[in-house]
Amino acid sequence: SQVAGDDFKYFDCAGVMPRGNFENLHVTSKHYDCSLVKKLNASAHYSLAIHGCTGEENDRVTFIGGQDEMGQLLMRKHLEAAGFKVKDAPSHLSGLGNENVVNQNQRGMGIQLEISKAQRQAFTARPVISILTRKKSSKTFERYCAALRAALSELSAEPLSTLAD
């Protein structure tokens, strides 16, 4: 919600269990079948999906993918300017498939971010991520969200004809 604010629509699918979260709750983007997300995407020109991934231990990185290359460039530019490490997503996190929910907006292309565990841990005021500490975000998290908002604002301000050229 901090990225969306009052300017953008958002949908949050978050589940937390005491253990076994990935094994019991993980759904891939291409298998995510939610009528509300489909409805939101059907009316959207731009889509951003934010996921978590394991990543290498202590490697604070955001992997970027999806079919929206212009959007990826803007996200990368803003995140890197804010001091965050960004890499191209490996193939298993690429978000390139047409069946991926992020690519099912009016333009048929979206942006997918995969944020490493180490980077997500840096977003909390405490070193361990839990349902209790998620609400206590750090300045790092605020800076990250501001970078994403700036990229989305810049992207959505561009005329569609310019983006299609």
Side-chain angles (χ1 to χ4, degrees):
S1 66
Q2 279 192 271
V3 175
D6 294 331
D7 304 312
F8 303 103
K9 295 176 185 175
Y10 78 99
F11 178 85
D12 183 7
C13 174
V16 179
M17 298 174 64
R19 61 177 102 27
N21 285 281
F22 184 84
E23 297 81 5
N24 294 301
L25 300 176
H26 182 257
V27 179
T28 64
S29 296
K30 70 180 187 177
H31 292 109
Y32 194 75
D33 186 20
C34 174
S35 59
L36 178 56
V37 172
K38 288 181 179 186
K39 183 178 177 179
L40 287 171
N41 255 353
S43 64
H45 290 287
Y46 304 99
S47 301
L48 171 65
I50 303 172
H51 300 258
C53 66
T54 305
E56 298 294 324
E57 188 173 347
N58 299 320
D59 190 15
R60 295 180 181 179
V61 63
T62 298
F63 295 104
I64 192 164
Q67 292 185 6
D68 187 344
E69 293 178 14
M70 169 72 90
Q72 286 184 46
L73 290 173
L74 287 172
M75 286 290 160
R76 182 184 296 267
K77 177 182 88 171
H78 285 277
L79 285 170
E80 288 176 344
F84 296 100
K85 183 170 146 184
V86 180
K87 292 182 180 179
D88 291 336
S91 60
H92 70 287
L93 301 174
S94 69
L96 291 175
N98 291 332
E99 68 281 359
N100 185 319
V101 68
V102 79
N103 297 318
Q104 295 176 0
N105 59 27
Q106 289 186 357
R107 296 169 52 240
M109 60 178 95
I111 307 154
Q112 181 166 302
L113 303 181
E114 294 278 354
I115 306 171
S116 72
K117 181 178 180 180
Q119 182 62 73
R120 294 191 318 274
Q121 287 176 329
F123 291 159
T124 63
R126 294 183 174 171
V128 177
I129 293 179
S130 76
I131 191 126
L132 299 174
T133 61
R134 284 181 189 212
K135 295 179 181 176
K136 298 179 181 180
S137 61
S138 66
K139 297 287 184 196
T140 302
F141 180 72
E142 292 171 14
R143 197 172 75 246
Y144 192 93
C145 291
L148 295 184
R149 282 186 57 74
L152 286 172
S153 295
E154 187 175 338
L155 185 64
S156 63
E158 288 288 326
L160 290 175
S161 60
T162 302
L163 295 172
D165 293 342

